[in-house]
Amino acid sequence: DAKTTQPTSMDCAEGRAANLPCNHSTISGNEYVYWYRQIHSQGPQYIIHGLKNNETNEMASLIITEDRKSSTLILPHATLRDTAVYYCIVRALSSEKLTFGTGTRLTIIP
Amino acid sequence: GAVVSQHPSWVICKSGTSVKIECRSLDFQATTMFWYRQFPKQSLMLMATSNEGSKATYEQGVEKDKFLINHASLTLSTLTVTSAHPEDSSFYICSARGGPQEQYFGPGTRLTVT
């Protein structure tokens, strides 16, 4: 599975949109982009995933660039409960494993 | 989404004893479950992949005789840390594969070995 690069940490004001970037320049055509988050001392929580089209669900939006070398997770109206470590993971459907990188520690500021 | 539970949520044991951690998929069947370990301020590290009815596949550097995995049914996998030592103290997290694209995580088990 391709590697990903994320900023170590980010701050975002409560009520604002949080935009979390992820670089995956070596992504292959059959690899999906997944986003998970981990709130302190809990198991990771699935957020969203996509292949090449932009995706939106009740939690977030995922914007994938046309060349698929990077993506952005958007939390439209961040709340204090969104403070967590966010992991961007690239995985092929044929691969069973999810390989976690260091993620981005997002802190929502009141 | 699907629910995965772990038991216990935390455990303290003495050095040299063994500890068993259970992972259950509550509302779906999982032929594949995964066990991760997470040390403080670090990311999750995959320890092993557990397949129902067959032997687990361990990641490089993980001692299979120390971390015994049993996946006896489609809803239950267990991880037994044998002869635990203080360096085994960690946050152990399981996940279960609910389909080709979904993987659901348990809440984690914090193990402290004294």
Side-chain angles (χ1 to χ4, degrees):
Chain A
D1 296 328
K3 295 186 77 172
T4 62
T5 304
Q6 298 178 253
T8 304
S9 64
M10 292 179 65
D11 292 342
C12 178
E14 187 179 16
R16 300 286 216 171
N19 296 278
L20 292 93
C22 179
N23 182 287
H24 32 78
S25 58
T26 60
I27 192 170
S28 300
N30 66 338
E31 290 181 316
Y32 285 73
V33 179
Y34 284 78
W35 283 85
Y36 283 80
R37 72 180 182 183
Q38 186 179 26
I39 295 169
H40 183 62
S41 293
Q42 297 182 25
Q45 176 189 23
Y46 166 81
I47 301 173
I48 199 167
H49 76 278
L51 183 62
K52 51 185 176 182
N53 297 323
N54 297 338
E55 302 288 342
T56 295
N57 62 21
E58 64 278 5
M59 287 183 69
S61 295
L62 173 61
I63 308 298
I64 303 174
T65 57
E66 196 166 333
D67 63 7
R68 302 213 318 126
K69 295 188 176 189
S70 65
S71 61
T72 301
L73 178 73
I74 302 173
L75 307 178
H77 305 287
T79 71
L80 298 178
R81 285 177 293 184
D82 293 321
T83 292
V85 178
Y86 287 75
Y87 296 98
C88 169
I89 301 169
V90 169
R91 174 189 157 242
L93 278 186
S94 59
S95 172
E96 290 191 316
K97 304 177 187 179
L98 284 175
T99 302
F100 286 79
T102 52
T104 296
R105 183 172 297 278
L106 175 68
T107 302
I108 305 302
I109 310 296
Chain B
V3 178
V4 175
S5 71
Q6 282 185 241
H7 179 80
S9 54
W10 60 270
V11 57
I12 301 172
C13 72
K14 293 191 174 182
S15 189
T17 61
S18 296
V19 174
K20 180 185 283 188
I21 302 169
E22 293 186 349
C23 176
R24 292 181 186 273
S25 56
L26 296 185
D27 50 1
F28 67 103
Q29 294 183 330
T31 55
T32 304
M33 290 184 172
F34 304 88
W35 287 95
Y36 294 81
R37 180 168 53 181
Q38 186 176 34
F39 292 108
K41 298 191 186 301
Q42 294 187 24
S43 188
L44 284 80
M45 294 297 296
L46 180 65
M47 299 174 67
T49 302
S50 167
N51 294 295
E52 187 265 338
S54 64
K55 291 185 178 180
T57 304
Y58 291 81
E59 294 299 300
Q60 193 171 10
V62 177
E63 300 175 60
K64 61 181 180 182
D65 294 330
K66 180 170 183 62
F67 299 99
L68 302 179
I69 291 172
N70 184 282
H71 192 159
S73 78
L74 288 172
T75 60
L76 173 65
S77 176
T78 60
L79 168 69
T80 302
V81 183
T82 63
S83 187
H85 291 287
E87 56 265 32
D88 297 323
S89 298
S90 189
F91 193 48
Y92 291 87
I93 305 168
C94 73
S95 69
R97 194 166 180 187
Q101 302 205 31
E102 298 88 13
Q103 195 172 128
Y104 304 101
F105 286 81
T109 296
R110 186 160 303 282
L111 170 63
T112 302
V113 184
T114 62

